[in-house]
Amino acid sequence: MPDPQPETAPERRRGGEVDQVGGTRSAPAARTSRLPAPAQGFGVTFSTMFKKVTTEQYPEEPKVTKPRYHGRHVLNRHPDGLEKCVGCELCAWACPADAIYVEGGTNTDEARFSPGERYGAVYQINYLRCIFCGLCIEACPTRSLTMSNDFELADDDRASLIYTKEQLMAPLLPGMEQPPHPMRLGDDERDYYLRAGS
């Protein structure tokens, strides 16, 4: 013998009725226009046909992005030119698209690239995978990795969309020296990361 139907079983819906929270049903929404539905649809089309069209003259006039736009990544430097990246690989771990590859190297007294014990010997970002979410920026403990406003990354060669460390490094500004070189701003990495105005 089949089980009896529970008392709370929902009733069958008829066409156009929607179950509401609490089990009540409402009737289909009443039409407010006397025009047939196709005429209403074409009305939307015709109303937009005569509005002014916004045309951007890109690339002759470059598009101006918002100040907080997430574009191409930049690996920053200290004021003396040493790299801020210490090769910790936290950005690669934080990346949900697995777009970042980092290999850390060890600094020596003869070849110093960053103030700490390590530096990013290999740094690559695959822009075929990157979703520009900014999680790598939040994960970076030294504020080495930031995002610029550069959005022109299109290319017809897949290999050229894997950016290397040389392409990502910030340019040398006046007063900076190309690494490797000894530390100029202090005796150890604490002087670099805890100094005033950093």
Side-chain angles (χ1 to χ4, degrees):
M1 180 168 108
D3 291 335
Q5 295 233 348
E7 296 177 9
T8 59
E11 295 180 25
R12 248 176 218 232
R13 288 187 275 162
R14 296 180 201 100
E17 294 179 346
V18 179
D19 285 339
Q20 300 289 325
V21 177
T24 61
R25 290 178 293 180
S26 63
R31 292 189 46 155
T32 57
S33 174
R34 295 176 192 236
L35 290 173
Q40 284 182 324
F42 283 119
V44 173
T45 303
F46 286 125
S47 67
T48 58
M49 282 176 64
F50 304 105
K51 291 184 178 175
K52 184 179 178 187
V53 177
T54 303
T55 304
E56 294 182 359
Q57 301 298 327
Y58 181 82
E60 288 79 18
E61 297 174 15
K63 184 173 175 59
V64 178
T65 58
K66 300 292 181 186
R68 294 181 56 142
Y69 177 80
H70 284 187
R72 187 178 67 83
H73 297 75
V74 175
L75 288 170
N76 295 306
R77 300 175 184 270
H78 288 286
D80 64 350
L82 288 179
E83 302 166 6
K84 286 188 175 183
C85 180
V86 293
C88 65
E89 302 179 23
L90 287 176
C91 53
W93 282 97
C95 181
D98 198 23
I100 301 176
Y101 176 73
V102 182
E103 278 184 20
T106 304
N107 281 316
T108 62
D109 291 334
E110 295 79 30
R112 175 166 296 282
F113 292 90
S114 73
E117 294 177 8
R118 293 168 50 85
Y119 72 101
V122 177
Y123 201 102
Q124 296 176 351
I125 297 181
N126 185 346
Y127 282 108
L128 296 167
R129 290 184 172 187
C130 181
I131 58 175
F132 299 93
C133 62
L135 291 177
C136 52
I137 307 304
E138 295 179 24
C140 184
T142 61
R143 293 290 296 153
S144 167
L145 191 63
T146 55
M147 295 179 97
S148 68
N149 287 16
D150 183 13
F151 62 90
E152 296 177 321
L153 296 170
D155 206 318
D156 57 0
D157 181 24
R158 294 176 64 86
S160 62
L161 288 170
I162 300 175
Y163 278 51
T164 61
K165 177 180 173 180
E166 291 74 26
Q167 294 169 293
L168 296 169
M169 283 302 301
L172 289 168
L173 299 176
M176 291 183 177
E177 182 183 346
Q178 178 69 41
H181 62 77
M183 290 187 281
R184 310 276 191 236
L185 303 178
D187 296 330
D188 59 7
E189 63 270 14
R190 291 178 60 87
D191 297 332
Y192 276 76
Y193 291 110
L194 298 179
R195 72 181 188 279
S198 61

